Amino acid sequence: MSEGSTLTVSRAKLEGRVSLAGAKNSALRLLAASLLSSEEIVLNDYPAGLLDTQVHVEMLRVLGKNVENASATSVRITESSSVRSQLEWEGRSIRNTLLILGALTARLGVGSVPLPGGCQLGERKYDLHVMLLERLGARVWDDGAYLRAEAPGGLVGADIHLPMRSTGATENAIIAGTLARGTTRVWNPHIRPEILDLIAMLRKMGAQITVFGQEHIEIKGVDALGGCEHSVIADNMEAVTWLAAAVITGGDIEIAKFPYADLEVVLAHLRAAGAKLYQGEDSLIVRGGACYPIEISTGPHPGINSDVQPILAAWAAKARGESKIVDLRFPGRYAYAEEMGKMGLNFSVDGDMLRIDGKGGGLRGAEVRALDLRAGAALALCGLAAEGETVITDAWQISRGYVDFADKLRSLGATVVEG
């Protein structure tokens, strides 16, 4: 989908089998980490169809990497000339540029990237990334358009104490620490599946990384990293989306390659909230059920990820009774509720809490706007349960994080029109 695109959905009962793509939030980190080595890296189960991975691949090419799709779900990254230290980029930015900066500074001793973009989810500053690079001996500054870092003698290992469990800062500290001289310890890290996947790939490349639970991560710097072949983990956000879609529409969906271990807390909440779930051999079978009201608060893994809460708001819209959602991570992330309100949703925002007064459905089709990736998917779920047609504008946002979203909906029996 391109900017300005629309997605029109109608009421449907979803039935069938759907396969999960590789995780967007993992693939982007692995692409950034490929900058740490000049040797070949092959990623399998790779979500090549995502807009955000396509943007990142073009960034790698601008920096001097060769990136080829070996298959529909595999990518090969090689290097035939020196990697550039400055990312000259005028297109749509993604927040992953901060990890590119960490990788370039670790490998080359200097790096420069456009100031980060991505979803507007309230306050998302980059001060932690500046702090950790400075702790490793780099000088970091911005000149209005670019964030720059330099460490002429190379980065030096240090203890990094994160004041909050930040996913991005944890990832950047790991990436930067792999080639730093000496030992880097990251205290109060955010240990979540995508970070463990990043660590798994870096270990294959020769990095020396030890995880001490949620307490700290130890990275012993090495002189150079090699190549590897690695499979991206399944996308747990896509998994939750299809699970919710099955219950919201009273459908019957088998979700292949379901990442049970990554979603234990979410599964516990949704079972309690009416989902009928059955474990298959390598899948989750969702046999309808009913949406009951929910009360959830987002938090660090293994808690409920902030990305999940717009999807659960769609669940709450179908429930009968009051649901409460608290997002302490990004407390400004309720703007999508205004769009759901155009479909008849009764809601209110009380401080950091979103209250949804569900009527057991009663939504009606309307023209709404996808304010960000997960909000777009949540509006599509509402549209599947609404009377009439729902037209989602800026539907390209959904393509940032879901591979073949419209095609998968059609395969499950929905009527979907892309425009």
PDB file of all heavy atoms in Angstrom, residues 113 134 147 152 172 182 231 237 243 269 289 340 396 403-404:
ATOM      1  N   VAL A 113      23.041   9.844  11.547  1.00  0.00           N
ATOM      2  CA  VAL A 113      21.746   9.411  11.013  1.00  0.00           C
ATOM      3  C   VAL A 113      20.729  10.539  11.160  1.00  0.00           C
ATOM      4  O   VAL A 113      20.864  11.400  12.026  1.00  0.00           O
ATOM      5  CB  VAL A 113      21.223   8.152  11.751  1.00  0.00           C
ATOM      6  CG1 VAL A 113      22.190   6.991  11.596  1.00  0.00           C
ATOM      7  CG2 VAL A 113      20.950   8.446  13.221  1.00  0.00           C
ATOM      8  N   GLU A 134      27.398   7.755  25.096  1.00  0.00           N
ATOM      9  CA  GLU A 134      28.351   8.573  25.857  1.00  0.00           C
ATOM     10  C   GLU A 134      29.025   7.745  26.937  1.00  0.00           C
ATOM     11  O   GLU A 134      30.231   7.906  27.194  1.00  0.00           O
ATOM     12  CB  GLU A 134      27.640   9.783  26.460  1.00  0.00           C
ATOM     13  CG  GLU A 134      27.249  10.830  25.415  1.00  0.00           C
ATOM     14  CD  GLU A 134      26.490  12.005  25.999  1.00  0.00           C
ATOM     15  OE1 GLU A 134      25.927  11.863  27.120  1.00  0.00           O
ATOM     16  OE2 GLU A 134      26.435  13.062  25.346  1.00  0.00           O
ATOM     17  N   LEU A 147      21.571  13.250  13.979  1.00  0.00           N
ATOM     18  CA  LEU A 147      22.153  12.870  15.255  1.00  0.00           C
ATOM     19  C   LEU A 147      23.504  12.243  14.941  1.00  0.00           C
ATOM     20  O   LEU A 147      23.576  11.307  14.131  1.00  0.00           O
ATOM     21  CB  LEU A 147      21.258  11.882  15.998  1.00  0.00           C
ATOM     22  CG  LEU A 147      21.672  11.513  17.437  1.00  0.00           C
ATOM     23  CD1 LEU A 147      21.638  12.744  18.333  1.00  0.00           C
ATOM     24  CD2 LEU A 147      20.751  10.424  17.996  1.00  0.00           C
ATOM     25  N   PRO A 152      36.735   8.264  18.077  1.00  0.00           N
ATOM     26  CA  PRO A 152      37.889   8.015  17.210  1.00  0.00           C
ATOM     27  C   PRO A 152      38.733   6.813  17.624  1.00  0.00           C
ATOM     28  O   PRO A 152      39.260   6.087  16.775  1.00  0.00           O
ATOM     29  CB  PRO A 152      38.696   9.316  17.308  1.00  0.00           C
ATOM     30  CG  PRO A 152      37.680  10.352  17.662  1.00  0.00           C
ATOM     31  CD  PRO A 152      36.702   9.658  18.558  1.00  0.00           C
ATOM     32  N   ASN A 172      20.306  -1.164  21.625  1.00  0.00           N
ATOM     33  CA  ASN A 172      21.435  -0.355  21.175  1.00  0.00           C
ATOM     34  C   ASN A 172      22.671  -0.598  22.029  1.00  0.00           C
ATOM     35  O   ASN A 172      23.800  -0.629  21.519  1.00  0.00           O
ATOM     36  CB  ASN A 172      21.068   1.130  21.186  1.00  0.00           C
ATOM     37  CG  ASN A 172      21.655   1.873  20.000  1.00  0.00           C
ATOM     38  OD1 ASN A 172      22.462   1.330  19.240  1.00  0.00           O
ATOM     39  ND2 ASN A 172      21.256   3.115  19.832  1.00  0.00           N
ATOM     40  N   GLY A 182      36.739  -4.296  25.941  1.00  0.00           N
ATOM     41  CA  GLY A 182      36.404  -4.606  27.324  1.00  0.00           C
ATOM     42  C   GLY A 182      34.972  -5.093  27.456  1.00  0.00           C
ATOM     43  O   GLY A 182      34.328  -5.514  26.494  1.00  0.00           O
ATOM     44  N   SER A 231      17.082 -17.439  11.461  1.00  0.00           N
ATOM     45  CA  SER A 231      15.648 -17.378  11.196  1.00  0.00           C
ATOM     46  C   SER A 231      14.975 -16.406  12.166  1.00  0.00           C
ATOM     47  O   SER A 231      15.170 -16.496  13.386  1.00  0.00           O
ATOM     48  CB  SER A 231      15.007 -18.765  11.331  1.00  0.00           C
ATOM     49  OG  SER A 231      15.488 -19.630  10.321  1.00  0.00           O
ATOM     50  N   MET A 237       2.822  -9.977  17.656  1.00  0.00           N
ATOM     51  CA  MET A 237       1.747  -8.988  17.514  1.00  0.00           C
ATOM     52  C   MET A 237       0.733  -9.438  16.466  1.00  0.00           C
ATOM     53  O   MET A 237      -0.475  -9.260  16.630  1.00  0.00           O
ATOM     54  CB  MET A 237       2.333  -7.629  17.135  1.00  0.00           C
ATOM     55  CG  MET A 237       2.727  -6.768  18.318  1.00  0.00           C
ATOM     56  SD  MET A 237       1.382  -6.522  19.497  1.00  0.00           S
ATOM     57  CE  MET A 237       0.063  -5.966  18.433  1.00  0.00           C
ATOM     58  N   LEU A 243      -5.857 -13.746  16.778  1.00  0.00           N
ATOM     59  CA  LEU A 243      -6.595 -14.319  17.904  1.00  0.00           C
ATOM     60  C   LEU A 243      -7.812 -13.447  18.221  1.00  0.00           C
ATOM     61  O   LEU A 243      -8.948 -13.938  18.322  1.00  0.00           O
ATOM     62  CB  LEU A 243      -5.672 -14.425  19.115  1.00  0.00           C
ATOM     63  CG  LEU A 243      -6.131 -15.222  20.349  1.00  0.00           C
ATOM     64  CD1 LEU A 243      -4.971 -15.395  21.318  1.00  0.00           C
ATOM     65  CD2 LEU A 243      -7.305 -14.581  21.075  1.00  0.00           C
ATOM     66  N   HIS A 269      -5.077 -13.500  30.028  1.00  0.00           N
ATOM     67  CA  HIS A 269      -6.105 -12.459  30.083  1.00  0.00           C
ATOM     68  C   HIS A 269      -7.249 -12.757  29.115  1.00  0.00           C
ATOM     69  O   HIS A 269      -8.427 -12.600  29.468  1.00  0.00           O
ATOM     70  CB  HIS A 269      -5.481 -11.095  29.745  1.00  0.00           C
ATOM     71  CG  HIS A 269      -4.850 -10.409  30.914  1.00  0.00           C
ATOM     72  ND1 HIS A 269      -5.562  -9.633  31.801  1.00  0.00           N
ATOM     73  CD2 HIS A 269      -3.574 -10.382  31.345  1.00  0.00           C
ATOM     74  CE1 HIS A 269      -4.750  -9.155  32.729  1.00  0.00           C
ATOM     75  NE2 HIS A 269      -3.531  -9.594  32.475  1.00  0.00           N
ATOM     76  N   GLY A 289     -16.004 -18.004  20.920  1.00  0.00           N
ATOM     77  CA  GLY A 289     -16.024 -17.496  22.280  1.00  0.00           C
ATOM     78  C   GLY A 289     -16.786 -16.192  22.305  1.00  0.00           C
ATOM     79  O   GLY A 289     -17.470 -15.827  21.352  1.00  0.00           O
ATOM     80  N   MET A 340     -12.379   5.251  16.631  1.00  0.00           N
ATOM     81  CA  MET A 340     -13.402   4.254  16.961  1.00  0.00           C
ATOM     82  C   MET A 340     -14.709   4.928  17.357  1.00  0.00           C
ATOM     83  O   MET A 340     -15.795   4.394  17.118  1.00  0.00           O
ATOM     84  CB  MET A 340     -12.912   3.344  18.088  1.00  0.00           C
ATOM     85  CG  MET A 340     -11.763   2.425  17.702  1.00  0.00           C
ATOM     86  SD  MET A 340     -11.255   1.355  19.086  1.00  0.00           S
ATOM     87  CE  MET A 340      -9.941   0.394  18.304  1.00  0.00           C
ATOM     88  N   TRP A 396      -1.907   2.452   4.554  1.00  0.00           N
ATOM     89  CA  TRP A 396      -0.507   2.042   4.376  1.00  0.00           C
ATOM     90  C   TRP A 396       0.165   1.789   5.716  1.00  0.00           C
ATOM     91  O   TRP A 396       1.111   0.998   5.808  1.00  0.00           O
ATOM     92  CB  TRP A 396       0.257   3.110   3.599  1.00  0.00           C
ATOM     93  CG  TRP A 396       0.382   4.424   4.329  1.00  0.00           C
ATOM     94  CD1 TRP A 396      -0.505   5.459   4.315  1.00  0.00           C
ATOM     95  CD2 TRP A 396       1.443   4.819   5.200  1.00  0.00           C
ATOM     96  NE1 TRP A 396      -0.076   6.477   5.131  1.00  0.00           N
ATOM     97  CE2 TRP A 396       1.126   6.120   5.681  1.00  0.00           C
ATOM     98  CE3 TRP A 396       2.625   4.221   5.617  1.00  0.00           C
ATOM     99  CZ2 TRP A 396       1.961   6.820   6.547  1.00  0.00           C
ATOM    100  CZ3 TRP A 396       3.454   4.914   6.495  1.00  0.00           C
ATOM    101  CH2 TRP A 396       3.111   6.201   6.951  1.00  0.00           C
ATOM    102  N   VAL A 403       2.314  -8.426   7.003  1.00  0.00           N
ATOM    103  CA  VAL A 403       2.540  -8.912   5.645  1.00  0.00           C
ATOM    104  C   VAL A 403       1.230  -9.438   5.071  1.00  0.00           C
ATOM    105  O   VAL A 403       0.565 -10.273   5.696  1.00  0.00           O
ATOM    106  CB  VAL A 403       3.606 -10.037   5.640  1.00  0.00           C
ATOM    107  CG1 VAL A 403       3.773 -10.597   4.230  1.00  0.00           C
ATOM    108  CG2 VAL A 403       4.937  -9.516   6.161  1.00  0.00           C
ATOM    109  N   ASP A 404       0.851  -8.924   3.892  1.00  0.00           N
ATOM    110  CA  ASP A 404      -0.340  -9.409   3.175  1.00  0.00           C
ATOM    111  C   ASP A 404      -1.593  -9.397   4.052  1.00  0.00           C
ATOM    112  O   ASP A 404      -2.394 -10.343   4.050  1.00  0.00           O
ATOM    113  CB  ASP A 404      -0.106 -10.834   2.642  1.00  0.00           C
ATOM    114  CG  ASP A 404       1.050 -10.901   1.654  1.00  0.00           C
ATOM    115  OD1 ASP A 404       1.303  -9.900   0.964  1.00  0.00           O
ATOM    116  OD2 ASP A 404       1.698 -11.958   1.586  1.00  0.00           O
TER     117      ASP A 404
END
